Amino acid sequence: MMNATNHMKVFCMAIAGCIALHAPAQEVWGIDRCMAYAVDHNHTVRQRQLEKKNYELDRLQAIGNFLPGINGSTGLQYNYGRSVDPETNTYNNVSTFNNSYALEASVTLFRGGSLVNELRRAKAAVLLGKAALQEARDNTALETFQAYIDALYYYGTERLARKKLAESDSLLYKTRRQEELGLKGMADVAQMEAQQATDAYNLTHQRNLFTTAMLVLKQKMNFPAADSLTLDTCLLDAEAISLAELSAERPEEVVSIALSVNPTLRQAEMNKRIALMQRKGSWANILPQISFFAGVSSSYYKELHKSGYDRFGRQFDNNLGQYFGLSLSIPLFNRFSGVVSMRQARNNYRIAGEQYEEQKTELQKLVLQAVHDREGYLKETLQMEKKVASDSVAYRVTRRKFEEGLMSSLDVQHNASTLLESETLLLQSKLTYLLKCRLVDYYKGKPVINNEQLIVNN
């Protein structure tokens, strides 16, 4: 009866663990869904979106610099006391009213090439904003992916610890029964009790680590900490990984693709292009500027308390005039500001070039490291699968011999610890391999978030 009760206790603990993470009333969140949620609610991503809109407005303003500017003006003037009569050009002690109107259009014909270079700079800035936005999205998704993998890992270690505690409870019960029958000694019982206490502590510790990992994941997602978040644990029970899953592409191919599509390197490239346009635009500080202007003007004049003046419409038509002209501005001496700005722009362009080359080298190193890690963790996973299978057989044989009195409790504890360590390392290598696969796919230009899988899960 006690044996059945103990087994029922173990079974209930296992079921409770599954219900805690896969409760029917709770919605399961997969990796891609968590990443999509994190991207949609990330503050940095929202800032990059607003910055991208500002870059687009700068481009619109740069386009508008090619269009003529139109200004309209009007003025009202009331004079009293001594004033100049505009008809006789003599002083009169009268009160007058003067009204003027003007409409002028002007367009810059040449500004040292700054208009064209400013437009090119604005277009490069728009591309920079797009790359920065994509980088923010990708970084948020990858950080969420890492946090999700960490949470899965600690859930897996908690599950292994729960399984280990159930084994210790069962073995402790049998050892006590055998001690009552005289088949085991008090030392064996004490050793099993110590192991059971250690496993209970380990389970509590792993639960705390899992809770902390879940809080980190919610923080990365900007998910309400008080709300429940149920993870999809199918990856923990996935079938064995085969060598056929390893892509056949060479690391050099992945590097070549990454250099052309990586948003971080794209930003460095756009910064270099912007610096080049600013360097070319700095020539405008020492070159002449030519502008064309044209307009119309008219006026209305009247002495107050005096009649005989033409009405407003006639005066407006009679005084209406047109004009146009060219304006040439030549900077002769601007206190060295032109030369200084040109040299600073040249230095900024060189700095941007060095930053681009540095980012390019760093990206190559990261890609090669990611490909190497992916291959390494795949091999580790395959080896650990074999080791777990062997350690599992060794533990079962050792436990059976212990129950038969052929081996000591220390042998059982040693094999049980070895099996737990192997299962933990297998879990770690498997999840890390999945993380490296997604990272390499990202460097190959694939989206971090699998939208097709997201649609299927929804």
Side-chain angles (χ1 to χ4, degrees):
M1 183 67 180
M2 292 180 64
N3 191 13
T5 304
N6 188 37
H7 280 59
M8 180 60 67
K9 176 182 177 182
V10 174
F11 178 76
C12 292
M13 290 176 61
I15 294 297
C18 294
I19 293 177
L21 204 67
H22 294 287
Q26 295 179 346
E27 194 174 5
V28 177
W29 287 66
I31 290 181
D32 296 286
R33 184 180 179 186
C34 288
M35 289 191 293
Y37 182 94
V39 170
D40 291 338
H41 295 79
N42 185 265
H43 297 295
T44 302
V45 173
R46 293 175 179 176
Q47 293 176 32
R48 296 296 177 268
Q49 290 174 340
L50 296 175
E51 291 174 358
K52 175 177 171 290
K53 293 181 179 179
N54 284 338
Y55 288 137
E56 292 174 349
L57 294 176
D58 289 340
R59 181 182 59 181
L60 179 61
Q61 184 177 6
I63 294 175
N65 291 334
F66 288 89
L67 302 177
I70 302 176
N71 296 318
S73 63
T74 183
L76 297 175
Q77 185 177 4
Y78 172 74
N79 293 327
Y80 57 92
R82 294 180 60 84
S83 61
V84 178
D85 188 347
E87 296 181 354
T88 62
N89 200 27
T90 59
Y91 286 98
N92 294 324
N93 192 10
V94 295
S95 298
T96 61
F97 173 78
N98 188 21
N99 185 203
S100 61
Y101 301 90
L103 182 65
E104 180 178 292
S106 61
V107 59
T108 301
L109 301 180
F110 179 74
R111 194 187 291 174
S114 62
L115 294 179
V116 176
N117 292 322
E118 179 63 20
L119 178 59
R120 292 174 179 174
R121 185 207 62 79
K123 290 181 178 179
V126 172
L127 298 178
L128 173 66
K130 292 180 179 179
L133 175 59
Q134 187 62 44
E135 181 192 35
R137 289 173 173 171
D138 294 343
N139 288 342
T140 301
L142 290 174
E143 291 175 1
T144 305
F145 194 102
Q146 177 69 65
Y148 194 102
I149 290 296
D150 292 341
L152 281 183
Y153 170 74
Y154 287 115
Y155 171 74
T157 56
E158 179 190 351
R159 188 169 66 174
L160 293 176
R162 189 185 306 115
K163 175 184 174 183
K164 181 69 167 55
L165 179 59
E167 291 280 347
S168 297
D169 289 339
S170 175
L171 191 57
L172 176 60
Y173 171 77
K174 291 183 178 180
T175 304
R176 286 174 174 173
R177 293 291 297 167
Q178 289 178 332
E179 192 268 340
E180 294 174 359
L181 298 175
L183 301 177
K184 298 291 183 182
M186 289 295 297
D188 293 326
V189 175
Q191 194 69 32
M192 287 299 141
E193 289 177 347
Q195 183 62 43
Q196 191 270 349
T198 301
D199 293 339
Y201 163 79
N202 186 44
L203 176 59
T204 302
H205 179 64
Q206 296 302 324
R207 284 176 176 171
N208 292 334
L209 293 177
F210 173 65
T211 301
T212 302
M214 289 298 298
L215 291 176
V216 173
L217 175 59
K218 291 180 179 180
Q219 181 182 8
K220 294 294 183 182
M221 295 173 57
N222 202 17
F223 191 86
D227 293 352
S228 176
L229 181 62
T230 306
L231 306 184
D232 184 5
T233 61
C234 295
L235 291 176
L236 299 178
D237 303 320
E239 297 180 357
I241 303 173
S242 63
L243 283 172
E245 295 185 21
L246 182 59
S247 302
E249 76 275 357
R250 297 179 300 174
E252 294 77 10
E253 296 176 353
V254 181
V255 171
S256 177
I257 297 174
L259 292 178
S260 60
V261 301
N262 185 262
T264 303
L265 185 63
R266 184 68 170 169
Q267 288 183 79
E269 181 184 358
M270 291 301 103
N271 282 325
K272 181 180 178 181
R273 183 179 300 182
I274 290 173
L276 177 61
M277 295 301 104
Q278 290 176 340
R279 179 185 181 184
K280 293 181 178 180
S282 65
W283 283 88
N285 295 323
I286 62 174
L287 295 177
Q289 176 179 336
I290 302 176
S291 301
F292 172 81
F293 60 91
V296 295
S297 63
S298 184
S299 63
Y300 172 76
Y301 174 82
K302 178 182 179 181
E303 291 185 12
L304 300 180
H305 311 294
K306 184 179 180 180
S307 60
Y309 287 93
D310 293 336
R311 64 182 184 275
F312 177 84
R314 181 179 292 275
Q315 281 200 40
F316 188 87
D317 293 337
N318 293 336
N319 296 331
L320 184 63
Q322 300 85 23
Y323 62 93
F324 66 91
L326 291 174
S327 173
L328 174 63
S329 176
I330 302 176
L332 299 179
F333 180 72
N334 51 12
R335 295 184 293 274
F336 305 110
S337 63
V339 176
V340 171
S341 63
M342 290 176 58
R343 293 180 179 179
Q344 289 177 340
R346 180 189 60 186
N347 294 334
N348 290 335
Y349 173 68
R350 292 176 178 177
I351 293 173
E354 294 296 333
Q355 292 175 346
Y356 172 76
E357 294 299 329
E358 180 183 8
Q359 190 65 49
K360 183 177 180 181
T361 303
E362 181 67 18
L363 178 61
Q364 291 174 340
K365 183 182 70 174
L366 292 176
V367 173
L368 293 176
Q369 185 66 44
V371 174
H372 172 74
D373 290 343
R374 184 190 62 175
E375 296 175 356
Y377 281 108
L378 174 61
K379 295 177 182 179
E380 289 183 10
T381 301
L382 296 176
Q383 293 297 327
M384 289 307 303
E385 286 178 344
K386 298 178 182 179
K387 189 175 187 304
V388 168
S390 300
D391 291 341
S392 178
V393 173
Y395 170 72
R396 289 197 300 269
V397 172
T398 303
R399 175 172 175 172
R400 185 179 306 160
K401 289 184 177 182
F402 170 75
E403 293 173 353
E404 295 173 357
L406 300 178
M407 299 194 76
S408 66
S409 58
L410 294 177
D411 296 327
V412 177
Q413 292 179 10
H414 174 73
N415 287 346
S417 300
T418 301
L419 176 59
L420 178 61
E421 181 181 0
S422 299
E423 291 175 335
T424 302
L425 292 176
L426 173 60
L427 176 64
Q428 181 182 16
S429 59
K430 181 190 294 185
L431 294 177
T432 307
Y433 169 71
L434 295 175
L435 175 63
K436 297 301 179 180
C437 284
R438 185 67 68 103
L439 184 60
V440 172
D441 290 340
Y442 166 68
Y443 286 135
K444 290 164 59 178
K446 297 181 180 180
V448 180
I449 303 175
N450 190 344
N451 294 322
E452 295 180 357
Q453 185 67 27
L454 184 61
I455 295 175
V456 171
N457 292 336
N458 290 336

